[in-house]
Amino acid sequence: MKKVFIILFVLSLTILSFSKTLTIWAMGEEAKKLNIIADDFIKENPNIEVKIQAIPWGSAHDKLITGIAGNTNPDLAQMGTTWMAEFGSMGVFENLEKDLKNSATVSKDIFFEGPFETTIVDNKIYGLPWYVDTRVLFYRTDLLKSVGYENGPENWEELYDAAKKLSEKGKYGLTMQTMEYQEIMPFIWQNNADILDEKGNITVTTPEFIEAIDFYSKFFKEKIAPLSLSGTLFQEFANGTVPMYFSGPWMINMTKEQTPEIKDKFNVKVVPSKKHGTSFVGGSNLVMFKNSKNKDIAWKFMEFVSRPEVQLKWYKEVGSLPSVKETWEDNYLKNNSMMSTFGKQLEKSKAPVNRPEWAQIEDALERRVQEACYGTKTPEEAAKDLKKDLEKILR
């Protein structure tokens, strides 16, 4: 008995001597549920303790700034994709190129291309896509059938035609927002245009860019889309006032819960295409801080959450879409026709340009596109003014 006690005592000391603590900052609902994944990780790695600090999204930006300035940042952090450039350009993230090169389980190729591109700042890989979201077209099957598009519109011409006919039968054909870059940018990308080219030159006055703004704004100018909704989107979608809109996966269950009377009367499909059918991709990455003293276990955790089965469990827990392509081959997602549509859309998805100035660029883009939507400027005038805005922002 004494011998057993001594062995246990020695083992305990050994475990304690090798134990490490991984600190993670996470935001929103993810922070509330991350302990579930962390517990699974700890079962495989009993010598590692994981400490999760929940941070409200509203104060997350300031918390990160303060943590970096005071050298009190964690080992890992959840990072919104549009924050990658701002914080990445500070030089505070670990470049993961070597980790990826040496990993037996994680590589660039296991992720969708669009989400992975959000991790790259100044040609350095500063994170891994943790989970993603993208936008697809929600449409009322019964109302679209009445104008000849039972399966929804496939391209820009059909989108306009269907929306125009619906607006003539009812009140509006669809709803979009005049100031929402996540809805505006896909139309620009679908026409092979963008805000900047690969060399960083401003390209908002190209014919393709102006054509996209012209197409987007004419829905509002022709009163096919409302400038604002009088009720909630759920109410307007249920009563048929707006038979189409663009949104993310969370709207599937919310629509069924809030308007059960149409639960069998709507569907989703990938966004209508022009030259191609690209949609917006967002979500959150996991980043490792350069000053972390636990980079080995931080990378081990990043590899763990990138496993297809862990990604699926995370989706089941919080509804966040998997960033790893293989996860979408699981029957749980594959046999869900609505959710699998989001998987198809992720194959053609893109994030805005990764620049530290993105917040200012976004504001300028939304302001100028709104002017075109309200008809106070032509698409050409809006594009020229946007170029002037961007020249000031990026000088």
Side-chain angles (χ1 to χ4, degrees):
M1 186 66 187
K2 184 178 180 182
K3 188 176 180 181
V4 171
F5 175 78
I6 292 172
I7 292 172
L8 290 173
F9 180 72
V10 171
L11 281 173
S12 298
L13 287 178
T14 303
I15 291 172
L16 284 173
S17 65
F18 285 102
S19 65
K20 289 185 175 181
T21 300
L22 177 67
T23 56
I24 306 173
W25 286 0
M27 296 80 177
E29 289 300 309
E30 292 83 350
K32 297 175 184 175
K33 298 286 186 70
L34 185 54
N35 64 299
I36 297 170
I37 300 300
D39 287 346
D40 290 345
F41 177 73
I42 292 168
K43 286 176 186 174
E44 287 190 12
N45 303 277
N47 61 327
I48 298 175
E49 181 184 6
V50 179
K51 287 187 175 179
I52 300 166
Q53 183 171 349
I55 303 170
W57 273 112
S59 58
H61 189 274
D62 290 345
K63 177 74 174 177
L64 285 163
I65 292 288
T66 304
I68 291 166
N71 204 30
T72 57
N73 53 270
D75 299 304
L76 290 177
Q78 175 183 356
M79 188 64 52
T81 53
T82 54
W83 289 357
M84 286 297 297
E86 178 186 353
F87 288 100
S89 63
M90 295 179 185
V92 295
F93 296 154
E94 179 72 6
N95 186 348
L96 302 178
E97 285 185 29
K98 287 184 179 177
D99 299 283
L100 280 166
K101 187 178 180 181
N102 296 328
S103 176
T105 59
V106 177
S107 70
K108 172 184 176 182
D109 295 335
I110 73 168
F111 301 101
F112 290 102
E113 182 180 354
F116 191 82
E117 286 181 352
T118 68
T119 70
I120 300 173
V121 179
D122 296 332
N123 296 317
K124 295 183 177 65
I125 302 171
Y126 281 143
L128 294 183
W130 180 17
Y131 67 84
V132 296
D133 70 66
T134 189
R135 307 292 189 271
V136 301
L137 178 69
F138 284 68
Y139 67 99
R140 284 282 301 272
T141 51
D142 53 339
L143 300 179
L144 268 292
K145 182 180 180 180
S146 71
V147 293
Y149 294 98
E150 183 177 3
N151 297 315
E154 295 287 338
N155 50 50
W156 279 19
E157 290 72 26
E158 291 187 1
L159 177 66
Y160 176 77
D161 185 57
K164 181 79 173 173
K165 288 175 177 173
L166 287 164
S167 68
E168 290 167 354
K169 289 168 68 78
K171 194 171 183 180
Y172 297 110
L174 81 168
T175 184
M176 299 187 293
Q177 298 180 69
T178 59
M179 289 190 72
E180 179 53 72
Y181 78 92
Q182 296 170 352
E183 292 188 353
I184 298 164
M185 286 305 302
F187 285 91
I188 294 168
W189 292 324
Q190 288 159 18
N191 206 29
N192 276 348
D194 210 332
I195 292 173
L196 304 175
D197 65 16
E198 292 180 352
K199 295 180 180 178
N201 299 311
I202 298 168
T203 54
V204 299
T205 53
T206 63
E208 292 81 7
F209 192 99
I210 293 171
E211 183 184 24
I213 299 304
D214 183 45
F215 182 73
Y216 192 87
S217 60
K218 76 176 180 179
F219 287 95
F220 301 95
K221 289 185 286 191
E222 296 182 14
K223 301 187 187 307
I224 296 173
L227 290 169
S228 62
L229 291 174
S230 56
T232 69
L233 177 57
F234 298 109
Q235 293 170 337
E236 305 284 16
F237 190 53
N239 66 29
T241 304
V242 287
M244 294 188 284
Y245 66 91
F246 297 95
S247 194
W250 57 88
M251 289 298 286
I252 294 175
N253 287 337
M254 291 178 72
T255 300
K256 291 178 179 177
E257 289 167 3
Q258 299 204 25
T259 52
E261 66 272 22
I262 61 163
K263 66 182 178 63
D264 298 319
K265 294 182 179 178
F266 78 95
N267 205 346
V268 298
K269 70 179 291 130
V270 294
V271 296
S273 64
K274 178 64 173 173
K275 294 173 181 171
H276 45 79
T278 303
S279 187
F280 167 83
V281 67
S284 282
N285 298 329
L286 275 181
V287 297
M288 184 193 305
F289 283 89
K290 189 182 282 185
N291 63 353
S292 167
K293 300 186 185 309
N294 300 298
K295 291 176 184 173
D296 53 343
I297 60 174
W299 176 251
K300 183 175 281 193
F301 187 83
M302 295 175 93
E303 287 185 314
F304 182 80
V305 299
S306 300
R307 292 181 189 175
E309 67 275 16
V310 176
Q311 289 259 310
L312 184 63
K313 183 170 184 175
W314 187 238
Y315 166 73
K316 291 178 179 177
E317 291 292 342
V318 299
S320 297
L321 300 184
S323 60
V324 173
K325 290 184 282 188
E326 185 181 335
T327 311
W328 290 87
E329 295 301 317
D330 190 281
N331 285 337
Y332 188 84
L333 285 167
K334 206 172 182 178
N335 295 336
N336 184 328
S337 63
M338 283 196 179
M339 288 311 305
S340 63
T341 298
F342 285 88
K344 291 176 186 173
Q345 188 64 72
L346 283 166
E347 294 171 2
K348 294 181 180 178
S349 59
K350 188 171 179 176
V353 57
N354 242 350
R355 294 284 299 240
E357 306 91 346
W358 172 249
Q360 296 168 272
I361 295 172
E362 170 191 324
D363 287 344
L365 171 71
E366 292 178 343
R367 186 171 64 254
R368 296 308 180 190
V369 170
Q370 186 180 56
E371 290 172 343
C373 293
Y374 275 75
T376 56
K377 287 182 180 171
T378 66
E380 290 82 1
E381 291 170 340
K384 287 179 182 176
D385 286 348
L386 177 58
K387 184 179 181 184
K388 292 176 185 175
D389 296 334
L390 298 182
E391 286 171 344
K392 292 178 183 175
I393 294 169
L394 300 173
R395 65 186 176 190

